[in-house]
Amino acid sequence: MTGASGLVAGRVLVLISEELEHDKRVLASLADYPLVEIVDLVNGDVADPPLGFLVCLRALLMLLKALSRGHGLWSLLRRHYGLSPKNAAGGWSVSLRSFVRAQGVAASLLGRLDGVRLVHAHDLFCGVVGAELSKCSGAELVYDAHEVEFHRNRRNSWLRTAFDVVVERSVLDRTRELRVVNAPIAALYEHVHDVPRERIRVVLNDHFVNRCRERSFDVPEPGRLALVYVGAGIRGRQLDRLASEAKRLGVPVHAFFIGELPELAIAAGWVIGPRDYESALVSLVAVHRCVMWCCVDDVCLSYRLALPNKFFQALAVGIPVVAADGSYLADLVRTHDLGFVFDGRDLEKVVRGIQSPDFADKLASVRRFRFGLTAGLLRI
């Protein structure tokens, strides 16, 4: 229940399934609530209870609903987004096990619901747990899908996607507010789940300190350039392409990895910065012509429509970005002159653009865009 100030009167359970330290979206959401208990559902806060008959029955019902929903769902995804399933059922058992485990985790948390007035769930696994807790306690539910929970970087088979859509719909049926990262993903959830617009809140990943006002905008010499990457060293971010192209062109890459350091970065001789990277990044962009690598493979809707943290970090320090062709971010880059679009083949054109006198115009465009966001003049 919320008071006149919009704050929740009572305890709030914030459910997470990833490391909290670097998830600025979760950290920012905590500011909304005065009394918060953070529950890590993956890294040891809760144990899995034995599997019960009722949970198995729920899973079977979800499967039957998925089989019923699948044809209409994939027709919609094909019509609006040009998507087709990779295969019939690949990866479905992973989603099934996740759903079953979430039911069990929820049962193990029932004793911690005293005085809880709201459950705030980050991602679909947490959403399933949160929906069960909401049903048992009467607490309101806020579900933050972040990007697109039912079509991520994985095996998106016909059955798996349909199953996750049905599971997510069951979460949304109990959700007071759905949070997503941008307007296109809000439209996607309206199409797929028929969520009323008034129940969807767009919360950008714009959680970084604005350094634009703190640095000089003298453009460094063309010879002092750097490609910058901030984030996880995982597949799907075109890091292998960046490594091979940067090596071929002799362009330095400065990387700030959150999590494990990938072997390809070591082998390619990248300059590896600290995990607590913001001060080092500010220093780097002050003396180099920098662009932020924001490329992803077009393997899922979550990647295609995303506006990632690194994009907003680039805006905060006032540097352009490199976006993969075909992504929503590439559309923004073209519309607002925020950097360069990479077609997956030739980085040399991007490097020439960084060295060009026109690079100063892109820096100015980034500043204007950033200020427009800050003033609430842009909806993205």
Side-chain angles (χ1 to χ4, degrees):
M1 184 178 299
T2 56
S5 66
L7 295 177
V8 176
R11 288 178 59 225
V12 177
L13 287 185
V14 176
L15 308 181
I16 62 172
S17 62
E18 295 183 359
E19 283 189 27
L20 181 63
E21 178 185 2
H22 295 289
D23 196 332
K24 290 184 178 292
R25 186 176 183 86
V26 177
L27 292 172
S29 73
L30 302 183
D32 289 342
Y33 312 127
L35 298 172
V36 174
E37 179 182 354
I38 299 172
V39 183
D40 188 336
L41 302 183
V42 172
N43 298 309
D45 274 13
V46 294
D48 296 344
L51 183 64
F53 170 76
L54 184 58
V55 172
C56 293
L57 181 60
R58 287 174 178 169
L60 177 60
L61 290 174
M62 288 296 174
L63 172 60
L64 294 176
K65 289 180 180 179
L67 292 171
S68 174
R69 176 82 194 274
H71 289 291
L73 168 68
W74 278 104
S75 176
L76 184 152
L77 294 178
R78 186 178 296 110
R79 184 169 63 255
H80 287 281
Y81 302 99
L83 294 180
S84 297
K86 300 298 183 183
N87 52 61
W92 171 73
S93 63
V94 179
S95 286
L96 173 65
R97 289 195 299 271
S98 178
F99 174 75
V100 169
R101 180 172 179 269
Q103 297 286 314
V105 169
S108 72
L109 291 172
L110 294 179
R112 298 167 68 168
L113 292 177
D114 186 42
V116 171
R117 294 293 177 266
L118 185 139
V119 179
H120 188 130
H122 288 270
D123 78 23
L124 182 54
F125 179 79
C126 297
V128 174
V129 176
E132 286 299 308
L133 298 181
S134 172
K135 182 169 63 176
C136 293
S137 66
E140 294 183 314
L141 177 64
V142 171
Y143 169 50
D144 194 330
H146 291 221
E147 293 174 355
V148 181
E149 281 294 306
F150 62 84
H151 203 265
R152 294 176 286 137
N153 186 8
R154 61 182 195 185
R155 289 182 289 175
N156 290 302
S157 66
W158 187 97
L159 183 57
R160 185 180 194 180
T161 301
F163 182 83
D164 280 351
V165 164
V166 168
V167 169
E168 190 169 51
R169 183 63 174 266
S170 72
V171 173
L172 290 168
D173 285 344
R174 295 208 63 88
T175 297
R176 181 194 78 189
E177 179 180 274
L178 166 66
R179 296 187 182 184
V180 295
V181 302
N182 59 33
I185 293 179
L188 170 70
Y189 273 81
E190 285 186 276
H191 284 145
V192 171
H193 289 298
D194 299 319
V195 182
R197 172 62 68 155
E198 60 269 18
R199 284 177 51 205
I200 304 177
R201 178 180 170 191
V202 172
V203 180
L204 302 176
N205 286 325
D206 191 13
H207 311 307
F208 298 93
V209 177
N210 187 356
R211 307 281 187 176
C212 283
R213 301 178 187 275
E214 301 176 15
R215 55 165 289 212
S216 168
F217 283 96
D218 295 333
V219 182
E221 293 299 316
R224 296 180 65 86
L225 60 88
L227 302 173
V228 182
Y229 178 78
V230 176
I234 59 177
R235 67 185 178 92
R237 308 295 174 86
Q238 295 198 24
L239 297 184
D240 51 347
R241 193 71 53 83
L242 174 61
S244 61
E245 286 285 285
K247 182 178 180 179
R248 180 177 68 85
L249 297 171
V251 178
V253 177
H254 292 249
F256 304 88
F257 286 107
I258 297 171
E260 188 175 345
L261 179 63
E263 288 293 330
L264 72 84
I266 300 172
W270 291 0
V271 180
I272 307 300
R275 286 185 56 161
D276 187 11
Y277 62 85
E278 290 198 27
S279 295
L281 178 59
V282 170
S283 298
L284 178 67
V285 304
V287 295
H288 289 76
R289 292 192 178 196
C290 294
V291 292
M292 182 74 75
W293 184 261
C294 296
C295 292
V296 290
D297 293 324
D298 187 19
V299 293
C300 60
L301 278 176
S302 189
Y303 279 7
R304 185 187 298 178
L305 300 180
L307 291 179
N309 284 319
K310 58 182 69 65
F311 168 61
F312 292 98
Q313 180 66 92
L315 295 180
V317 297
I319 62 173
V321 301
V322 182
D325 197 17
S327 65
Y328 174 57
L329 179 55
D331 293 341
L332 285 184
V333 166
R334 289 189 178 100
T335 300
H336 299 279
D337 195 25
L338 300 178
F340 307 92
V341 175
F342 179 55
D343 63 6
R345 295 184 298 273
D346 185 8
L347 193 66
E348 189 169 1
K349 182 169 62 175
V350 174
V351 172
R352 288 198 302 268
I354 300 171
Q355 295 170 328
S356 165
D358 294 338
F359 188 72
D361 296 332
K362 294 193 184 298
L363 291 176
S365 295
V366 169
R367 292 199 300 275
R368 286 195 298 270
F369 186 85
R370 174 63 178 171
F371 295 151
L373 279 184
T374 302
L377 302 177
L378 297 173
R379 183 174 181 268
I380 60 175

